[in-house]
Each structure stands twice: as C-alpha cells, then as structure tokens.
Amino acid sequence: MAHPAGPTVPRFSVDVHQNEYLPEGGREVNAIVTVTATGGPAAAAAFPATAGPAAGTGTAPDPGSASGLPVSGPAAAVVIMVDCSGSMDYPPAKMDGARLATGAAIDTLRDGVAFAVVAGTHRATEVYPGGCRLAVADATTRAEAQASLSGLHPSGGTAIGTWLTLADRLFSSTPAAIRHGILLTDGRNEHEPPEELRQALDACAGRFTCDARGVGTDWEVKEVTSIASALLGSADIVADPGALTGDFTAMMESAMAKGIADVALRLWTPQGAEIQYVKQVAPTMEDLTARREDSGVRTGDYPTGSWGEESRDYHVCVRVPAAGVGQEMLAGRASLVAREPDGTARRLSQGLIRAVWTADAAASTRMSPQVAHYTGQAELADAIQQGLDLRKLGDMDGATAKLGRAVQLAHRSGNRDTAQLLEKVVDVADAANGTVRLKARVADADEMTLETRSTKTVRVKK
C-alpha cells in the first residue's frame, strides 16, 4: 500500500443563508452559516523517510532534541484505544474483529504520522510502542505494531476515563497539530464513577478529537455518543464485529485527510446584541452554545475541531435590539479562525449576518429554506430520542406519538437513511401524516442504531 506524505491544507469559504427581514420591533435573527473547506497548498511535511527513527526503535524523537529532525515534528498523531475487557471474549469474534480492524487502521497510517495503540480495561495499558511515547509510521513501525496486536487479550473491566487520560498523555509527547483518537468499546463504563469519565473528557476537550464506536449491543449509547460529542468526533454502532475492519479503515482514512487542526467559528455581535445559540446542524447535530470561549470585545469562539476537504452547516441565532421600519444593522459577523501555537488566531474566511426591519409582512414572515430545513432536522432528532426514551419507560402511547412525528419529519425532509432506521422500530401506515404502530419486537441492534444515528442530518435540497 502506498503511504503518501500528507494531505493538503484546505481553503475556507463562508456562506450565510437567512431571511434578514424582521417586523417592526422584531429581535430574533436566524442564519445558517455554511462553511466549506476545499483543497489548497501542501501541508507542512511530516518526517521524511530518510530522517525517521532507526529501524526497530519505533518512537518519535523528543521535539527538543538535537536529532537533526525538524522541531515541528509530524503533522498528525493518532492513538487507537481498543477495549480488552473480559466481555470482548463473548463471543470471541469481537476480540478477533478488533485485532483485525486495528491492524487495518495501522496499515492505513500515512508515512510520518505519530501513532500508538492502547489496550483498555479497568486501566489503560500501552501496547505499542511503549515508554509513554509515540511511534512514527513507516514500513518498520507498522510491521512492529501489527505484530504487537497478538498481545491484545480480553480480561478485566472497563474504565474509559483511564484510556482517554493515557491517550492525552501520549499526545502530549508530540508537537503534532492534528491529534485524533479512535476508541472502541463493547460494554458499559462500570469500573469508574461517571464523574471520573466526565472529568477525563473535560481534561481532553480541545486537546484531541476522538471517534467512538460501540461493538455488539451490550454498551450504553449515551456513554459512547457523549465521548464523541465532547471530543468533536463521530459516534456509531458496529453491531457485527466482522464490519469493524471497514469501519476502522474509514475512520483512519478520514483522520489522515485532515489538513488543519484547532479551527474555531468566531462570532462577533454589535453592542446590545447577544448570541442565543450556536449549533452544528450538518452533517450531524451538535450544540456548541456552552462551549463558547470569549476571544475579544463582543466576540466568542466555538470549537469545530480538525478539517479536511468537507462542508458543514451551523445554525446561529442572534437576539438584537428592537428597531423601527427602515432601519438595518449588522447583526453578526461569522469568521473561521485557526489558532496558532503562539496563541494568536488567523482568520480563514468570514460571512455577515444582517437585520433589516420592514413593514412588508410577506417579507418578514418568510423563513429561509435552510433555517426551516434544519429546524425540522433538529425536531426530528429530538423526536427520535424522546420516542425511544418513552418506549423504554413503557409509555407506548407517548412513544408512538413521538416516533410517528419523527417518521413524518424524515419523510418531509427526504432523510431516507433515518426513515429506513425508523421502519425497523415502527410499522408505518402513512409516512406523510406520521401514522405508525410500534413493532411488538425490535432487535437491540436496530434500536441502538436508530438512537446512535438520530443526530445525522441531510442537507437542504438544491
């Protein structure tokens, strides 16, 4: 397999979709901010093959050493955290699948990327390379890492906070800007108090991103999705261990395609205006409101993580001072900024959010198609979560009503993937009107897949 030197650093554009017209005295301005990153000049080079570590050493040098290697270090770093608790042996296919998937992920690593493998039980153990350091990917270290996977054996319990803490410590040993974790678990986090996992997530937030996967059906959806949410990664279910290899490969390919890290959506508002909320609405729903960090006078930064060539949508709601007909104002300025190592921020692109007061009722009551679409997608995600929660509580009438509404919203928005998942939980009589009946029997995998993927959205039809 060829292992190219690195991705490209993307260029950013910002487009604002809104109805800027408000009625006299109107105060709420809604906008969908579309951020698009496209390919650009070459990224900072990773370690050249001729300057890599001596064969068999498998570790990245101290960035402050006199090794002759560039002090900038590798462009990216990845830590793979594999659940090795006792339950991974029931059935043995889970552990076998995890070994094969981890091997495939290692083989997907780009030359020069720093990496490590961690075995997670009721404690975290370094599998490769050891010594609280990261290896630098090349033919030798990939082969060594593959050989080390035979040491992954199931035993012990599950304390995910310790896995994340070790990953953070490993990432601290590298100057790599793009830091990404891949975490696999098959069970509930039963061997540490919930507050310890929360403390670990709080400590790791902003230091690295992480994709989280649950294999089988004995894990807790809200635990896995909370990990991905806190660390700005993706969450998903892999019910069949045989599908882990394809999923791990896709996650690693995505990580390898990232060209820039630590990008924030910076919002400026004028005197008297305030941000009501900021939510990522595509490709998944994620409320960023509480993650704001003040970055200047009337400006705040909302983290978006690492970017490759991709596009995402954000719903921004601003409350502005009331004004009369004929007045207009700049309600907000949305910028993408990259945080530099010295703490400064470099602006990548920006868009403007406007407010214009009018007496034209037709203009002021018209909702932007983008705002309307994503408002519906947010309601769809909420309806699924509420419906599944009510079903677990035994409130079948309430569950039927919520899941029926979800079917209606999925049908209306063209979210076919979610509609198909809903059809495994309810029998649909009339999708347009949301008329459904709860299925008497639902496979655990089907219910968990719907819950895990409920926040995935579709974009506005062009």
Side-chain angles (χ1 to χ4, degrees), residues 29 67 104 113 187-188 208 215 227 231 248 251 267 353 425 451:
V29 179
S67 63
V113 170
R188 294 171 175 82
F208 64 92
V215 60
I227 292 167
L231 302 181
F248 266 48
M251 281 192 288
L267 295 177
I353 301 171
V425 177
E451 184 176 3

Side-chain angles (χ1 to χ4, degrees), residues 16 40 42 50 90 108 124 186 200 236 240 257 279 290 314 375 380 440:
V16 176
T50 56
Y90 302 98
T108 309
D186 82 318
D236 208 349
D240 178 6
K279 300 176 182 179
Y314 299 88
T375 300
L380 169 59

Side-chain angles (χ1 to χ4, degrees), residues 41-59:
F47 287 135
T50 56
T57 61
T59 55

Side-chain angles (χ1 to χ4, degrees), residues 6-389:
T8 57
V9 174
R11 296 187 180 94
F12 286 83
S13 63
V14 174
D15 297 296
V16 176
H17 308 280
Q18 66 165 133
N19 175 19
E20 65 266 36
Y21 293 104
L22 299 175
E24 183 175 11
R27 301 192 61 186
E28 188 172 285
V29 179
N30 287 276
I32 299 299
V33 177
T34 297
V35 179
T36 303
T38 54
F47 287 135
T50 56
T57 61
T59 55
D62 184 326
S65 73
S67 63
L69 296 172
V71 293
S72 59
V78 178
V79 175
I80 305 172
M81 293 160 273
V82 183
D83 191 336
C84 290
S85 61
S87 58
M88 285 290 286
D89 203 27
Y90 302 98
K94 283 195 288 189
M95 196 72 250
D96 293 340
R99 290 191 197 96
L100 289 172
T102 304
I106 290 168
D107 197 40
T108 309
L109 283 164
R110 195 172 63 242
D111 280 343
V113 170
F115 75 102
V117 179
V118 169
T121 59
H122 52 280
R123 60 185 179 184
T125 305
E126 294 177 68
V127 175
Y128 183 83
C132 204
R133 294 181 291 178
L134 299 171
V136 177
D138 60 20
T140 299
T141 56
R142 276 192 289 269
E144 290 175 347
Q146 293 277 7
S148 75
L149 301 182
S150 61
L152 294 176
H153 295 296
S155 66
T158 304
I160 296 174
T162 66
W163 314 355
L164 295 167
T165 299
L166 176 55
D168 188 34
R169 192 179 310 130
L170 290 166
F171 282 126
S172 297
S173 71
T174 175
I178 298 171
R179 304 176 179 188
H180 191 76
I182 290 176
L183 185 149
L184 175 71
T185 185
D186 82 318
R188 294 171 175 82
N189 195 50
E190 295 177 331
H191 292 83
E192 67 181 359
E195 57 269 21
E196 289 189 12
L197 174 58
R198 174 46 55 189
Q199 289 169 3
L201 288 171
D202 290 343
C204 295
R207 295 175 59 81
F208 64 92
T209 56
C210 185
D211 292 326
R213 294 293 185 269
V215 60
T217 57
D218 293 326
W219 48 279
E220 179 61 48
V221 171
K222 288 181 172 57
E223 278 183 354
V224 170
T225 55
S226 69
I227 292 167
S229 173
L231 302 181
L232 298 175
S234 65
D236 208 349
I237 179 175
V238 187
D240 178 6
L244 280 172
T245 295
D247 189 67
F248 266 48
T249 300
M251 281 192 288
M252 189 62 82
E253 288 174 344
S254 176
M256 293 298 93
K258 301 301 183 185
I260 188 170
D262 208 8
V263 175
L265 177 64
R266 174 168 291 179
L267 295 177
W268 170 90
T269 50
Q271 186 72 37
E274 59 182 17
I275 301 293
Q276 296 297 99
Y277 57 79
V278 178
K279 300 176 182 179
Q280 178 183 289
V281 291
T284 58
M285 291 281 175
E286 188 64 57
D287 193 341
L288 302 176
T289 310
R291 303 190 192 189
R292 175 188 173 105
E293 292 184 6
D294 291 337
S295 53
V297 179
R298 297 194 298 277
T299 63
D301 289 358
Y302 301 83
T304 68
S306 302
W307 286 72
E309 189 161 357
E310 58 190 294
S311 183
R312 306 178 197 172
D313 291 336
Y314 299 88
H315 187 168
V316 177
C317 180
V318 185
R319 185 172 176 81
V320 296
V325 171
Q327 291 187 279
E328 60 181 271
M329 69 178 295
L330 180 62
R333 182 166 53 239
S335 305
L336 263 290
V337 297
R339 293 169 179 164
E340 305 289 5
D342 62 2
T344 60
R346 173 168 52 96
R347 192 173 72 189
L348 304 170
S349 188
Q350 75 169 22
L352 305 178
I353 301 171
R354 301 175 63 239
V356 179
W357 284 265
T358 179
D360 184 342
S364 64
T365 56
R366 184 179 64 248
M367 183 175 282
S368 158
Q370 289 82 1
V371 172
H373 174 80
Y374 287 120
T375 300
Q377 292 289 283
E379 185 185 352
L380 169 59
D382 287 343
I384 291 171
Q385 291 289 337
Q386 292 170 17
L388 292 177
D389 287 344

